[in-house]
Amino acid sequence: MAVTNDQLVEALRPVQDPELHRSIVDLGMLRRAELDHTGTAHILVALTIAGCPLRSEIQNRVRSALTTLDGVTDVELDFTVMTDQEREDLRVKLHGSPGASAGHAQAHGHAEGRAIPFAAPGSKTRPLLIASGKGGVGKSSITTNLAVALAQQGHSVGVVDADIYGHSIPQMLGTDRPPTVIDEMIVPPEQWGVRCISIAYFVPDGEAVIWRGPMLHKALEQFLTDVFWDDPEFLLIDMPPGTGDIALSLSQYLPRGEVYVVTTPQPAAQKVARLSAAMAAKVNLPVKGIIENMSWFTGDDGTRYELFGSGGGQELADEIGVPLLGQLPLVPALREGSDDGRPITAVDPDSEVAKSFRMIAERIAVELKPKKIFSSALKVI
Ligand SMILES: Nc1ncnc2c1ncn2[C@@H]1O[C@H](COP(=O)(O)OP(=O)(O)OP(=O)(O)O)[C@@H](O)[C@H]1O
Ligand SMILES: [Mg+2]
């Protein structure tokens, strides 16, 4: 029996736009689906923007969805591009209209007027702030690998690189393209199942960011509002070292944020403990757990060398009264993976350190899952 055009459309319905993770049919991207008498399917797809970087991926997906259909012998795929009006309609459909969420008349090309979705009581996103009282202890490496580990466990995950002066997430994650902008909605690039946004995409390579407080505030606000995060389960925030303006802004933007403190194992953790606790108190967010990094190095002979001493993570956890979620060994491959944009958790999932990352991810996802005590079914009468 011949395939009808409607059947072509139904076969294409499961095909998702690789960036927006929605059906190309539901997004209105499918413009024509017709089968001719020779069995060739003529398909026209409207891309969101001209020069869409994922055009060939869409092509592959459409082809493989149709070639499984009996009666389709060939696929001829053409592309067109959405009009400005169509892009605006798409943005409103996916991301709402700024005016509707915050009562302002219109957005002025940035975050103004749009509410932060993660601050809403009904938000399903858990913002995880990866912080430390100290620099260079591995916050960014941990943010990256933890995000990958959570994604491997089937969670939807985004990362905000909040280290405006010392951004490193795009490099560590290995995102190879900047965000796409659809009518002022910023669609973040995705790598290893993790979406990310960073100031790195907004400033020319090698140029330093020299903004002061208000600009930092604006950039962070834009990262949280104008970016199409699509309600991820986890939004990891790679914090800059120490305490400062950025931590303060984030605490306002993410009142339901959870702080995870990274430390190294030196027993002299008291000072860091005080700094970390001070930061959490200052921003009024709870510290939920400690992650100890660079805990040991395993030599070729299998001996563990505790290069930076031991016990600091546990001491800090006891001091604050939260669990020590895991200890990560010092492994050169972790650093190399960070430098090359190939996180070790993604490229060597069986390694000891990747397993530790997955264990920490699971503890955060399961053990530390906030308990729901509110029920929308209950009403005070
Ligand atoms: N467990 C580890 N094994 C080997 N190298 C590591 C490990 N953790 C971090 N590193 C390396 O140490 C360096 C500092 O790590 P990272 O940049 O993640 O720290 P950070 O706390 O984010 O630093 P900053 O405070 O500058 O933002 C990087 O080169 C990273 O690759
Ligand atoms: Mg960092």
Side-chain angles (χ1 to χ4, degrees), residues 134-142 163 166 168 172 238-241 293-294 328-332 334-336 338-339 353:
K134 239 168 102 176
V137 294
K139 292 177 293 297
S140 305
S141 311
I142 289 175
D163 194 348
S168 52
M172 288 189 178
D238 181 27
M239 301 284 287
N293 190 24
M294 309 186 186
L328 299 160
L330 192 71
V331 272
L334 189 150
R335 185 194 54 73
E336 286 157 21
S338 292
D339 289 350
V353 71

PDB file of all heavy atoms in Angstrom, residues 134-142 163 166 168 172 238-241 293-294 328-332 334-336 338-339 353, ligand 1:
ATOM      1  N   LYS A 134      38.681  29.006  48.215  1.00  0.00           N
ATOM      2  CA  LYS A 134      40.034  29.080  47.676  1.00  0.00           C
ATOM      3  C   LYS A 134      40.044  28.937  46.157  1.00  0.00           C
ATOM      4  O   LYS A 134      39.181  28.269  45.606  1.00  0.00           O
ATOM      5  CB  LYS A 134      40.815  27.886  48.233  1.00  0.00           C
ATOM      6  CG  LYS A 134      42.054  28.246  49.027  1.00  0.00           C
ATOM      7  CD  LYS A 134      42.566  27.043  49.749  1.00  0.00           C
ATOM      8  CE  LYS A 134      43.764  26.441  49.063  1.00  0.00           C
ATOM      9  NZ  LYS A 134      44.326  25.322  49.831  1.00  0.00           N
ATOM     10  N   GLY A 135      41.028  29.491  45.501  1.00  0.00           N
ATOM     11  CA  GLY A 135      41.161  29.331  44.049  1.00  0.00           C
ATOM     12  C   GLY A 135      41.936  28.071  43.701  1.00  0.00           C
ATOM     13  O   GLY A 135      42.682  27.536  44.519  1.00  0.00           O
ATOM     14  N   GLY A 136      41.727  27.597  42.487  1.00  0.00           N
ATOM     15  CA  GLY A 136      42.539  26.508  41.955  1.00  0.00           C
ATOM     16  C   GLY A 136      42.351  25.141  42.596  1.00  0.00           C
ATOM     17  O   GLY A 136      43.183  24.265  42.427  1.00  0.00           O
ATOM     18  N   VAL A 137      41.260  24.955  43.326  1.00  0.00           N
ATOM     19  CA  VAL A 137      41.063  23.654  43.992  1.00  0.00           C
ATOM     20  C   VAL A 137      40.299  22.651  43.109  1.00  0.00           C
ATOM     21  O   VAL A 137      40.124  21.506  43.494  1.00  0.00           O
ATOM     22  CB  VAL A 137      40.331  23.791  45.350  1.00  0.00           C
ATOM     23  CG1 VAL A 137      41.179  24.534  46.353  1.00  0.00           C
ATOM     24  CG2 VAL A 137      38.982  24.460  45.167  1.00  0.00           C
ATOM     25  N   GLY A 138      39.837  23.120  41.945  1.00  0.00           N
ATOM     26  CA  GLY A 138      39.175  22.192  41.025  1.00  0.00           C
ATOM     27  C   GLY A 138      37.686  22.428  40.850  1.00  0.00           C
ATOM     28  O   GLY A 138      36.976  21.548  40.367  1.00  0.00           O
ATOM     29  N   LYS A 139      37.200  23.629  41.176  1.00  0.00           N
ATOM     30  CA  LYS A 139      35.758  23.902  41.033  1.00  0.00           C
ATOM     31  C   LYS A 139      35.275  23.671  39.605  1.00  0.00           C
ATOM     32  O   LYS A 139      34.270  23.004  39.376  1.00  0.00           O
ATOM     33  CB  LYS A 139      35.447  25.369  41.402  1.00  0.00           C
ATOM     34  CG  LYS A 139      35.626  25.717  42.844  1.00  0.00           C
ATOM     35  CD  LYS A 139      35.371  27.202  43.084  1.00  0.00           C
ATOM     36  CE  LYS A 139      36.389  28.113  42.446  1.00  0.00           C
ATOM     37  NZ  LYS A 139      37.767  27.967  42.933  1.00  0.00           N
ATOM     38  N   SER A 140      36.007  24.247  38.650  1.00  0.00           N
ATOM     39  CA  SER A 140      35.536  24.169  37.262  1.00  0.00           C
ATOM     40  C   SER A 140      35.628  22.742  36.735  1.00  0.00           C
ATOM     41  O   SER A 140      34.726  22.273  36.034  1.00  0.00           O
ATOM     42  CB  SER A 140      36.355  25.106  36.373  1.00  0.00           C
ATOM     43  OG  SER A 140      36.309  26.411  36.911  1.00  0.00           O
ATOM     44  N   SER A 141      36.703  22.036  37.092  1.00  0.00           N
ATOM     45  CA  SER A 141      36.834  20.643  36.645  1.00  0.00           C
ATOM     46  C   SER A 141      35.711  19.801  37.241  1.00  0.00           C
ATOM     47  O   SER A 141      35.156  18.924  36.577  1.00  0.00           O
ATOM     48  CB  SER A 141      38.157  20.046  37.112  1.00  0.00           C
ATOM     49  OG  SER A 141      39.213  20.894  36.802  1.00  0.00           O
ATOM     50  N   ILE A 142      35.375  20.071  38.484  1.00  0.00           N
ATOM     51  CA  ILE A 142      34.327  19.293  39.154  1.00  0.00           C
ATOM     52  C   ILE A 142      32.961  19.645  38.571  1.00  0.00           C
ATOM     53  O   ILE A 142      32.140  18.765  38.307  1.00  0.00           O
ATOM     54  CB  ILE A 142      34.405  19.492  40.685  1.00  0.00           C
ATOM     55  CG1 ILE A 142      35.663  18.774  41.198  1.00  0.00           C
ATOM     56  CG2 ILE A 142      33.139  18.987  41.380  1.00  0.00           C
ATOM     57  CD1 ILE A 142      35.977  18.965  42.655  1.00  0.00           C
ATOM     58  N   ASP A 163      32.081  32.319  36.419  1.00  0.00           N
ATOM     59  CA  ASP A 163      33.396  32.911  36.621  1.00  0.00           C
ATOM     60  C   ASP A 163      33.661  33.860  35.451  1.00  0.00           C
ATOM     61  O   ASP A 163      34.270  33.498  34.450  1.00  0.00           O
ATOM     62  CB  ASP A 163      34.470  31.814  36.693  1.00  0.00           C
ATOM     63  CG  ASP A 163      35.780  32.357  37.249  1.00  0.00           C
ATOM     64  OD1 ASP A 163      35.901  33.603  37.348  1.00  0.00           O
ATOM     65  OD2 ASP A 163      36.661  31.548  37.584  1.00  0.00           O
ATOM     66  N   GLY A 166      37.357  34.679  34.835  1.00  0.00           N
ATOM     67  CA  GLY A 166      38.246  33.542  34.562  1.00  0.00           C
ATOM     68  C   GLY A 166      37.499  32.359  33.984  1.00  0.00           C
ATOM     69  O   GLY A 166      37.675  31.226  34.429  1.00  0.00           O
ATOM     70  N   SER A 168      36.114  29.184  32.144  1.00  0.00           N
ATOM     71  CA  SER A 168      36.839  28.005  31.673  1.00  0.00           C
ATOM     72  C   SER A 168      35.932  26.865  31.224  1.00  0.00           C
ATOM     73  O   SER A 168      36.395  25.885  30.660  1.00  0.00           O
ATOM     74  CB  SER A 168      37.780  27.497  32.778  1.00  0.00           C
ATOM     75  OG  SER A 168      37.076  27.315  33.985  1.00  0.00           O
ATOM     76  N   MET A 172      36.669  23.436  28.919  1.00  0.00           N
ATOM     77  CA  MET A 172      36.692  22.129  29.592  1.00  0.00           C
ATOM     78  C   MET A 172      35.657  21.168  29.014  1.00  0.00           C
ATOM     79  O   MET A 172      35.886  19.976  28.913  1.00  0.00           O
ATOM     80  CB  MET A 172      36.455  22.300  31.089  1.00  0.00           C
ATOM     81  CG  MET A 172      37.631  22.909  31.811  1.00  0.00           C
ATOM     82  SD  MET A 172      37.381  22.824  33.586  1.00  0.00           S
ATOM     83  CE  MET A 172      38.914  23.553  34.162  1.00  0.00           C
ATOM     84  N   ASP A 238      29.302  27.234  38.037  1.00  0.00           N
ATOM     85  CA  ASP A 238      30.731  27.246  38.355  1.00  0.00           C
ATOM     86  C   ASP A 238      31.055  28.614  38.924  1.00  0.00           C
ATOM     87  O   ASP A 238      31.043  29.623  38.213  1.00  0.00           O
ATOM     88  CB  ASP A 238      31.552  26.986  37.086  1.00  0.00           C
ATOM     89  CG  ASP A 238      33.041  26.965  37.373  1.00  0.00           C
ATOM     90  OD1 ASP A 238      33.436  26.634  38.511  1.00  0.00           O
ATOM     91  OD2 ASP A 238      33.824  27.283  36.454  1.00  0.00           O
ATOM     92  N   MET A 239      31.331  28.640  40.227  1.00  0.00           N
ATOM     93  CA  MET A 239      31.531  29.915  40.906  1.00  0.00           C
ATOM     94  C   MET A 239      32.981  30.390  40.751  1.00  0.00           C
ATOM     95  O   MET A 239      33.898  29.586  40.696  1.00  0.00           O
ATOM     96  CB  MET A 239      31.233  29.749  42.400  1.00  0.00           C
ATOM     97  CG  MET A 239      29.822  29.267  42.687  1.00  0.00           C
ATOM     98  SD  MET A 239      28.622  30.561  42.479  1.00  0.00           S
ATOM     99  CE  MET A 239      28.977  31.555  43.928  1.00  0.00           C
ATOM    100  N   PRO A 240      33.158  31.710  40.751  1.00  0.00           N
ATOM    101  CA  PRO A 240      34.528  32.215  40.779  1.00  0.00           C
ATOM    102  C   PRO A 240      35.131  31.960  42.154  1.00  0.00           C
ATOM    103  O   PRO A 240      34.400  31.715  43.120  1.00  0.00           O
ATOM    104  CB  PRO A 240      34.352  33.709  40.527  1.00  0.00           C
ATOM    105  CG  PRO A 240      32.955  34.011  40.926  1.00  0.00           C
ATOM    106  CD  PRO A 240      32.160  32.773  40.751  1.00  0.00           C
ATOM    107  N   PRO A 241      36.457  32.007  42.278  1.00  0.00           N
ATOM    108  CA  PRO A 241      37.050  31.782  43.597  1.00  0.00           C
ATOM    109  C   PRO A 241      36.637  32.855  44.601  1.00  0.00           C
ATOM    110  O   PRO A 241      36.391  34.000  44.231  1.00  0.00           O
ATOM    111  CB  PRO A 241      38.558  31.833  43.328  1.00  0.00           C
ATOM    112  CG  PRO A 241      38.729  32.453  41.979  1.00  0.00           C
ATOM    113  CD  PRO A 241      37.460  32.231  41.225  1.00  0.00           C
ATOM    114  N   ASN A 293      38.924  17.236  46.686  1.00  0.00           N
ATOM    115  CA  ASN A 293      39.627  17.000  45.415  1.00  0.00           C
ATOM    116  C   ASN A 293      41.120  16.851  45.670  1.00  0.00           C
ATOM    117  O   ASN A 293      41.642  17.348  46.668  1.00  0.00           O
ATOM    118  CB  ASN A 293      39.352  18.178  44.470  1.00  0.00           C
ATOM    119  CG  ASN A 293      39.840  17.918  43.057  1.00  0.00           C
ATOM    120  OD1 ASN A 293      39.986  16.755  42.635  1.00  0.00           O
ATOM    121  ND2 ASN A 293      40.108  18.970  42.317  1.00  0.00           N
ATOM    122  N   MET A 294      41.775  16.157  44.773  1.00  0.00           N
ATOM    123  CA  MET A 294      43.228  15.924  44.833  1.00  0.00           C
ATOM    124  C   MET A 294      43.591  15.156  46.106  1.00  0.00           C
ATOM    125  O   MET A 294      44.584  15.448  46.770  1.00  0.00           O
ATOM    126  CB  MET A 294      43.990  17.254  44.750  1.00  0.00           C
ATOM    127  CG  MET A 294      43.540  18.114  43.567  1.00  0.00           C
ATOM    128  SD  MET A 294      44.543  19.583  43.386  1.00  0.00           S
ATOM    129  CE  MET A 294      43.683  20.458  42.092  1.00  0.00           C
ATOM    130  N   LEU A 328      38.132  12.787  45.318  1.00  0.00           N
ATOM    131  CA  LEU A 328      38.577  12.596  43.942  1.00  0.00           C
ATOM    132  C   LEU A 328      40.097  12.533  43.898  1.00  0.00           C
ATOM    133  O   LEU A 328      40.773  13.412  44.437  1.00  0.00           O
ATOM    134  CB  LEU A 328      38.088  13.765  43.082  1.00  0.00           C
ATOM    135  CG  LEU A 328      36.558  13.906  43.023  1.00  0.00           C
ATOM    136  CD1 LEU A 328      36.161  15.315  42.590  1.00  0.00           C
ATOM    137  CD2 LEU A 328      35.979  12.872  42.066  1.00  0.00           C
ATOM    138  N   PRO A 329      40.633  11.513  43.258  1.00  0.00           N
ATOM    139  CA  PRO A 329      42.091  11.417  43.191  1.00  0.00           C
ATOM    140  C   PRO A 329      42.689  12.441  42.226  1.00  0.00           C
ATOM    141  O   PRO A 329      41.983  13.008  41.391  1.00  0.00           O
ATOM    142  CB  PRO A 329      42.314   9.995  42.675  1.00  0.00           C
ATOM    143  CG  PRO A 329      41.070   9.664  41.918  1.00  0.00           C
ATOM    144  CD  PRO A 329      39.952  10.397  42.596  1.00  0.00           C
ATOM    145  N   LEU A 330      43.971  12.638  42.384  1.00  0.00           N
ATOM    146  CA  LEU A 330      44.713  13.499  41.467  1.00  0.00           C
ATOM    147  C   LEU A 330      45.134  12.627  40.292  1.00  0.00           C
ATOM    148  O   LEU A 330      45.862  11.662  40.465  1.00  0.00           O
ATOM    149  CB  LEU A 330      45.951  14.003  42.216  1.00  0.00           C
ATOM    150  CG  LEU A 330      46.755  15.119  41.605  1.00  0.00           C
ATOM    151  CD1 LEU A 330      46.000  16.431  41.673  1.00  0.00           C
ATOM    152  CD2 LEU A 330      48.080  15.276  42.351  1.00  0.00           C
ATOM    153  N   VAL A 331      44.605  12.937  39.113  1.00  0.00           N
ATOM    154  CA  VAL A 331      44.971  12.132  37.940  1.00  0.00           C
ATOM    155  C   VAL A 331      45.309  13.045  36.766  1.00  0.00           C
ATOM    156  O   VAL A 331      44.514  13.909  36.394  1.00  0.00           O
ATOM    157  CB  VAL A 331      43.842  11.156  37.503  1.00  0.00           C
ATOM    158  CG1 VAL A 331      43.917   9.824  38.210  1.00  0.00           C
ATOM    159  CG2 VAL A 331      42.485  11.769  37.693  1.00  0.00           C
ATOM    160  N   PRO A 332      46.504  12.853  36.205  1.00  0.00           N
ATOM    161  CA  PRO A 332      46.899  13.714  35.084  1.00  0.00           C
ATOM    162  C   PRO A 332      45.875  13.702  33.952  1.00  0.00           C
ATOM    163  O   PRO A 332      45.634  14.731  33.317  1.00  0.00           O
ATOM    164  CB  PRO A 332      48.227  13.099  34.621  1.00  0.00           C
ATOM    165  CG  PRO A 332      48.774  12.416  35.838  1.00  0.00           C
ATOM    166  CD  PRO A 332      47.587  11.920  36.602  1.00  0.00           C
ATOM    167  N   LEU A 334      42.761  13.736  34.091  1.00  0.00           N
ATOM    168  CA  LEU A 334      41.658  14.670  34.355  1.00  0.00           C
ATOM    169  C   LEU A 334      42.043  16.066  33.864  1.00  0.00           C
ATOM    170  O   LEU A 334      41.275  16.746  33.197  1.00  0.00           O
ATOM    171  CB  LEU A 334      41.334  14.690  35.854  1.00  0.00           C
ATOM    172  CG  LEU A 334      40.069  15.459  36.262  1.00  0.00           C
ATOM    173  CD1 LEU A 334      39.461  14.848  37.508  1.00  0.00           C
ATOM    174  CD2 LEU A 334      40.346  16.926  36.508  1.00  0.00           C
ATOM    175  N   ARG A 335      43.283  16.453  34.180  1.00  0.00           N
ATOM    176  CA  ARG A 335      43.743  17.765  33.725  1.00  0.00           C
ATOM    177  C   ARG A 335      43.831  17.820  32.196  1.00  0.00           C
ATOM    178  O   ARG A 335      43.387  18.768  31.568  1.00  0.00           O
ATOM    179  CB  ARG A 335      45.104  18.101  34.335  1.00  0.00           C
ATOM    180  CG  ARG A 335      45.574  19.509  33.989  1.00  0.00           C
ATOM    181  CD  ARG A 335      47.036  19.724  34.283  1.00  0.00           C
ATOM    182  NE  ARG A 335      47.910  18.729  33.663  1.00  0.00           N
ATOM    183  CZ  ARG A 335      48.185  18.665  32.358  1.00  0.00           C
ATOM    184  NH1 ARG A 335      47.647  19.535  31.513  1.00  0.00           N
ATOM    185  NH2 ARG A 335      48.983  17.723  31.876  1.00  0.00           N
ATOM    186  N   GLU A 336      44.371  16.760  31.622  1.00  0.00           N
ATOM    187  CA  GLU A 336      44.495  16.735  30.159  1.00  0.00           C
ATOM    188  C   GLU A 336      43.115  16.821  29.494  1.00  0.00           C
ATOM    189  O   GLU A 336      42.920  17.558  28.530  1.00  0.00           O
ATOM    190  CB  GLU A 336      45.196  15.442  29.710  1.00  0.00           C
ATOM    191  CG  GLU A 336      46.690  15.449  30.005  1.00  0.00           C
ATOM    192  CD  GLU A 336      47.298  14.045  30.101  1.00  0.00           C
ATOM    193  OE1 GLU A 336      46.695  13.077  29.560  1.00  0.00           O
ATOM    194  OE2 GLU A 336      48.354  13.925  30.734  1.00  0.00           O
ATOM    195  N   SER A 338      40.485  18.168  30.705  1.00  0.00           N
ATOM    196  CA  SER A 338      39.958  19.527  30.874  1.00  0.00           C
ATOM    197  C   SER A 338      40.582  20.462  29.850  1.00  0.00           C
ATOM    198  O   SER A 338      39.914  21.320  29.278  1.00  0.00           O
ATOM    199  CB  SER A 338      40.272  20.063  32.273  1.00  0.00           C
ATOM    200  OG  SER A 338      39.552  19.356  33.241  1.00  0.00           O
ATOM    201  N   ASP A 339      41.849  20.292  29.612  1.00  0.00           N
ATOM    202  CA  ASP A 339      42.535  21.171  28.657  1.00  0.00           C
ATOM    203  C   ASP A 339      42.046  20.948  27.226  1.00  0.00           C
ATOM    204  O   ASP A 339      41.979  21.878  26.429  1.00  0.00           O
ATOM    205  CB  ASP A 339      44.055  20.927  28.700  1.00  0.00           C
ATOM    206  CG  ASP A 339      44.674  21.465  29.991  1.00  0.00           C
ATOM    207  OD1 ASP A 339      43.966  22.177  30.736  1.00  0.00           O
ATOM    208  OD2 ASP A 339      45.855  21.169  30.252  1.00  0.00           O
ATOM    209  N   VAL A 353      38.340   7.847  38.675  1.00  0.00           N
ATOM    210  CA  VAL A 353      37.839   9.189  38.973  1.00  0.00           C
ATOM    211  C   VAL A 353      36.449   9.406  38.360  1.00  0.00           C
ATOM    212  O   VAL A 353      35.576  10.048  38.969  1.00  0.00           O
ATOM    213  CB  VAL A 353      38.863  10.274  38.560  1.00  0.00           C
ATOM    214  CG1 VAL A 353      38.989  10.417  37.059  1.00  0.00           C
ATOM    215  CG2 VAL A 353      38.543  11.610  39.183  1.00  0.00           C
TER     216      VAL A 353
HETATM  217  N1  LIG B   1      41.701  15.759  40.502  1.00  0.00           N
HETATM  218  C1  LIG B   1      42.529  16.401  39.677  1.00  0.00           C
HETATM  219  N2  LIG B   1      43.567  15.761  39.093  1.00  0.00           N
HETATM  220  C2  LIG B   1      44.415  16.411  38.245  1.00  0.00           C
HETATM  221  N3  LIG B   1      44.300  17.701  37.912  1.00  0.00           N
HETATM  222  C3  LIG B   1      43.286  18.406  38.463  1.00  0.00           C
HETATM  223  C4  LIG B   1      42.339  17.803  39.362  1.00  0.00           C
HETATM  224  N4  LIG B   1      41.447  18.744  39.722  1.00  0.00           N
HETATM  225  C5  LIG B   1      41.807  19.877  39.086  1.00  0.00           C
HETATM  226  N5  LIG B   1      42.908  19.692  38.343  1.00  0.00           N
HETATM  227  C6  LIG B   1      43.617  20.684  37.533  1.00  0.00           C
HETATM  228  O1  LIG B   1      43.962  21.758  38.399  1.00  0.00           O
HETATM  229  C7  LIG B   1      43.815  22.998  37.750  1.00  0.00           C
HETATM  230  C8  LIG B   1      42.838  23.878  38.528  1.00  0.00           C
HETATM  231  O2  LIG B   1      41.547  23.270  38.437  1.00  0.00           O
HETATM  232  P1  LIG B   1      40.232  24.116  38.145  1.00  0.00           P
HETATM  233  O3  LIG B   1      40.481  25.128  37.097  1.00  0.00           O
HETATM  234  O4  LIG B   1      39.144  23.151  37.959  1.00  0.00           O
HETATM  235  O5  LIG B   1      40.112  24.836  39.561  1.00  0.00           O
HETATM  236  P2  LIG B   1      39.201  26.068  39.988  1.00  0.00           P
HETATM  237  O6  LIG B   1      38.941  25.903  41.441  1.00  0.00           O
HETATM  238  O7  LIG B   1      38.057  26.203  39.088  1.00  0.00           O
HETATM  239  O8  LIG B   1      40.200  27.272  39.761  1.00  0.00           O
HETATM  240  P3  LIG B   1      39.833  28.857  39.801  1.00  0.00           P
HETATM  241  O9  LIG B   1      39.699  29.183  41.230  1.00  0.00           O
HETATM  242  O10 LIG B   1      41.005  29.477  39.127  1.00  0.00           O
HETATM  243  O11 LIG B   1      38.551  29.011  39.039  1.00  0.00           O
HETATM  244  C9  LIG B   1      43.374  22.684  36.332  1.00  0.00           C
HETATM  245  O12 LIG B   1      44.496  22.648  35.505  1.00  0.00           O
HETATM  246  C10 LIG B   1      42.757  21.302  36.450  1.00  0.00           C
HETATM  247  O13 LIG B   1      42.843  20.571  35.235  1.00  0.00           O
END
